[in-house]
Amino acid sequence: MNALNLTASEAAETHVAELTALLLQNLQAGLFTSRAFLRPGDLRPEAETQAQAFLAYLRTGDGNAAHRHGAQLCSSGVGDLTLVHVGHILRRFGSLYLAETARPGYLEQVEEYQGHVIQGYIAQRSTNILEEQERIRSALQQNLQRYTLQLETAAELARTTISSLELGALLTTAVDLIGERFGLDYVAIYLVDDANRNAELRAATGNEGRIRLAARHRLRTSGASTVGKCLASKRPLLTAVRTGEAPAPSSSWLQHTQSEMVLPLITHGLVIGVLSAQSSRSDAFSSQDITGFQIMCDQLANAIENARLFADAQQRAGDLAQAYDQLKELETLKDKFMQNVSHELRTPLTMIRGYAEFMLGGQLDVAGADHRDALQVILRNSEALSEMVSDILAMLEISATKTAATVISIAETVEDSLAGFHIVAARQGVALGAALDACSQDCWVMARSDHLRRIVDNLLGNALKFTPAGGQVNVRLWEEDQRVCLEVADTGIGIPPHLQERIFERFYQVDSAQRRGRGGAGLGLALVRELVESYGGSISVFSAGVDQGSTFTVMLPRVVA
Ligand code: ADP
């Protein structure tokens, strides 16, 4: 279009403002539009600009400028409806202008101008729509990528954790994998303790994680930390520092954390812990991330449950295996014990039976010495039998009964025992001495009195049994380091050093010509040791060797009466 000759109309230009005002009055009167849609104030600047632009168009005939103007209207957010109204305004303006200039053909020019404006407007609208589409597409693409990554990580987590049945390794793998895949600054897993009181840090990434793990970091399950809140609500929790705000960090946060996502680990409806993901960016997590992360956490919770069940099963299997071994050992011991007992019972019984048969068969001289000897053999073997049976019974009793011990005086027990052995010692020609003064009234021990008596009797009995006539047996009592010590020393046949530990085994007897025929079943010392140890004490022996005498020392914890 050619520029119009506007000389005649130039005067009108100076009246644009008034013309606009006039337009607005018309507008207010509802001539152009419904008031429900447009308020006049909204159109005023628009009407002015349009009037100016239209005049410029009439002068220059520049369609491109009108086109650009339309695009500008669109960019400045003018809606379609407004655009239509602007069209009305222009027509009206045109007719007023015509009245001023009496120019024909104005309407076509208005329409031309309007056409350019609308084209510009529509072109800009299309561009905007395309841009918006692109923006939405790329946002969707990003979300999809993120979600895919979350699902891929969930799958990877499932693959790695399914084969990992050791809980510690499983948790470490999980935090490392999630931290690395999502470029997070810190990932941590807390598990709730048995009492449901504390959430204990069990795995965490990086150096900070190592420090916190070493310090056994824990948070209250009912506390105000993000971990506590997530545990209480059983729901995921997103927390971020808003721009310009000072961080109000939770106690689970690291120093540079700006945002955190905490998710519950749930199995069978129970919250067993949480996963905390932290970032130094405040916009690191969005609510859309929750779905993907929760899938990971559900898988993780199942893997944790499996690892725990496995550890439990292993523990039980271990306990069972141990119990089975113990049973087997007990069975073997029992068999050996029965074998030994029957064997040991047989010897004295054969002697008794043999001599009794001799006597019954009249094969012995009834009035003579043979008869006495036979009776003595019978008596000695009966005594050995009865000693053995009472040792066996006492031994069985220690493991079967747990009768309460009482506080007793060891000095009194030793004195009672000595009184019984004086006659035996005198008969054997062995000097029996005692030094009990070092242990005065204070020597109290915790034991059953019959057990203590059996300990003393067995040691004294052995000392006399293995000390030939002319020898000596001495008993000493003293107190040392909160312990009461009992020593029975003899000048008898002694014990070879290499056998000194073995004599405490059940049925063990040192085999030597000197010892044969002295009776006993090799149970006495085993019984003494079991009793002493059951009261928290110990027994030891010292002998320089054969014919060098032996010294037995028993130590028991001293108690204050
Ligand atoms: P027992 O005396 O009934 O044979 P013990 O268990 O009391 O059984 O003793 C085991 C063995 O230790 C004895 O057979 C003996 O060989 C040795 N023994 C124990 N006490 C003494 C001692 N005072 N002197 C030398 N040998 C001893």
Side-chain angles (χ1 to χ4, degrees):
M1 190 192 92
N2 291 323
L4 296 171
N5 179 5
L6 289 177
T7 327
S9 67
E10 271 165 10
E13 291 185 39
T14 53
H15 301 306
V16 166
E18 288 113 81
L19 286 171
T20 309
L22 200 61
L23 272 170
L24 289 169
Q25 273 170 27
N26 286 319
L27 191 67
Q28 265 161 345
L31 280 177
F32 301 126
T33 183
S34 143
R35 286 187 201 183
F37 290 105
L38 282 171
R39 284 172 300 142
D42 295 339
L43 278 178
R44 186 184 181 92
E46 208 43 62
E48 274 182 26
T49 326
Q50 285 302 315
Q52 296 283 7
F54 180 56
L55 282 175
Y57 178 73
L58 289 181
R59 273 201 311 275
T60 60
D62 186 357
N64 288 333
H67 192 279
R68 276 198 303 279
H69 189 71
Q72 252 169 30
L73 282 175
C74 181
S75 301
S76 62
V78 166
D80 298 354
L81 196 63
T82 314
L83 194 71
V84 172
H85 292 306
V86 168
H88 284 303
I89 294 164
L90 283 174
R91 277 160 197 271
R92 188 72 186 138
F93 178 76
S95 73
L96 290 167
Y97 177 71
L98 180 70
E100 290 278 332
T101 59
R103 270 191 71 81
Y106 77 95
L107 206 58
E108 288 77 12
Q109 291 181 14
V110 168
E111 272 167 7
E112 257 176 39
Y113 169 75
Q114 227 181 313
H116 287 300
V117 171
I118 289 172
Q119 271 171 18
Y121 184 88
I122 289 172
Q124 185 59 43
R125 267 289 289 275
S126 324
T127 314
N128 285 358
I129 288 170
L130 282 176
E131 276 174 12
E132 179 65 6
Q133 273 178 348
E134 179 54 28
R135 206 186 53 72
I136 293 172
R137 200 191 61 78
S138 96
L140 277 175
Q141 178 88 13
Q142 264 181 16
N143 276 350
L144 193 69
Q145 271 173 359
R146 212 168 155 76
Y147 195 58
T148 311
L149 178 65
Q150 285 164 7
L151 290 184
E152 274 172 7
T153 313
E156 198 174 342
L157 198 64
R159 266 200 313 279
T160 34
T161 53
I162 224 156
S163 56
S164 170
L165 287 168
E166 201 277 301
L167 186 59
L170 162 81
L171 299 178
T172 310
T173 310
V175 291
D176 286 346
L177 186 73
I178 295 173
E180 192 233 310
R181 289 290 182 281
F182 297 99
L184 296 167
D185 294 289
Y186 182 65
V187 181
I189 292 175
Y190 290 83
L191 293 184
V192 171
D193 66 7
D194 290 342
N196 200 19
R197 193 168 293 176
N198 291 306
E200 291 166 354
L201 183 68
R202 300 293 294 271
T205 53
N207 207 28
E208 286 285 349
R210 266 189 293 283
I211 295 170
R212 285 187 164 195
L213 282 168
R216 300 175 150 267
H217 183 73
R218 54 167 62 190
L219 295 163
R220 304 281 299 178
T221 49
S222 55
S225 68
T226 46
V227 168
K229 284 183 194 155
C230 174
L231 285 170
S233 68
K234 299 186 179 183
R235 300 173 80 94
L237 188 74
L238 274 182
T239 321
V241 174
R242 280 197 227 115
T243 345
E245 257 183 20
S250 156
S251 31
S252 65
W253 281 26
L254 296 191
Q255 204 190 350
H256 300 295
T257 297
Q258 292 285 300
S259 59
E260 183 190 29
M261 178 159 59
V262 190
L263 299 119
L265 298 168
I266 303 177
T267 54
H268 307 299
L270 272 180
V271 189
I272 57 167
V274 298
L275 179 131
S276 156
Q278 298 182 23
S279 170
S280 53
R281 288 189 298 121
S282 60
D283 61 346
F285 308 107
S286 76
S287 51
Q288 280 131 19
D289 290 329
I290 288 177
T291 320
F293 269 80
Q294 192 60 61
I295 292 175
M296 278 187 271
C297 285
D298 291 348
Q299 258 162 2
L300 191 58
N302 280 336
I304 293 172
E305 175 81 353
N306 284 344
R308 281 180 166 169
L309 286 175
F310 181 73
D312 231 40
Q314 261 191 332
Q315 168 80 35
R316 272 166 214 235
D319 289 352
L320 272 178
Q322 206 182 343
Y324 180 71
D325 286 350
Q326 277 172 355
L327 266 181
K328 264 201 336 207
E329 198 184 313
L330 274 178
E331 191 65 21
T332 320
L333 276 178
K334 197 193 82 190
D335 287 351
K336 208 170 152 205
F337 185 75
M338 293 305 284
Q339 255 176 22
N340 285 338
V341 168
S342 353
H343 177 78
E344 294 304 326
L345 288 176
R346 197 174 300 133
T347 320
L349 274 176
T350 313
M351 300 284 272
I352 293 168
R353 191 174 164 183
Y355 275 87
E357 278 174 359
F358 276 149
M359 287 174 78
L360 269 177
Q363 285 156 298
L364 293 170
D365 172 8
V366 173
D370 275 357
H371 191 185
R372 268 185 84 76
D373 290 349
L375 281 174
Q376 256 165 8
V377 172
I378 290 174
L379 187 66
R380 212 170 47 235
N381 281 289
S382 309
E383 276 169 0
L385 267 182
S386 116
E387 192 188 322
M388 201 188 310
V389 168
S390 69
D391 278 352
I392 292 170
L393 285 177
M395 196 160 271
L396 292 175
E397 194 206 22
I398 316 177
S399 42
T401 60
K402 283 268 172 261
T403 317
T406 51
V407 176
I408 43 175
S409 155
I410 192 162
E412 269 176 39
T413 310
V414 172
E415 271 163 7
D416 286 353
S417 177
L418 279 171
F421 279 104
H422 272 306
I423 305 167
V424 184
R427 211 189 303 141
Q428 270 184 226
V430 174
L432 182 57
L436 310 182
D437 292 350
C439 200
S440 53
Q441 292 86 348
D442 278 348
C443 286
W444 301 94
V445 293
M446 185 64 101
R448 262 176 57 174
S449 61
D450 56 333
H451 284 171
L452 194 60
R453 179 66 191 263
R454 189 168 280 279
I455 293 169
V456 180
D457 280 358
N458 274 2
L459 293 179
L460 268 174
N462 274 351
L464 287 167
K465 189 157 69 175
F466 297 109
T467 304
Q472 268 189 11
V473 171
N474 274 306
V475 185
R476 272 201 319 134
L477 264 185
W478 73 98
E479 187 222 325
E480 179 184 301
D481 294 339
Q482 300 303 310
R483 287 177 305 179
V484 172
C485 309
L486 162 72
E487 181 191 275
V488 178
D490 63 59
T491 58
I493 62 173
I495 305 159
H498 67 286
L499 298 177
Q500 286 173 14
E501 191 42 42
R502 297 217 59 191
I503 56 172
F504 293 102
E505 290 171 19
R506 287 181 181 185
F507 296 108
Y508 190 82
Q509 291 180 303
V510 179
D511 189 22
S512 74
Q514 282 171 298
R515 293 168 213 263
R516 274 181 213 123
R518 287 179 195 262
L523 281 173
L525 285 178
L527 176 63
V528 168
R529 180 156 79 172
E530 277 181 44
L531 283 173
V532 167
E533 287 178 355
S534 77
Y535 292 118
S538 62
I539 181 166
S540 58
V541 62
F542 172 77
S543 170
V546 176
D547 290 331
Q548 303 293 306
S550 314
T551 302
F552 287 83
T553 312
V554 167
M555 292 189 176
L556 287 165
R558 191 191 135 209
V559 291
V560 180

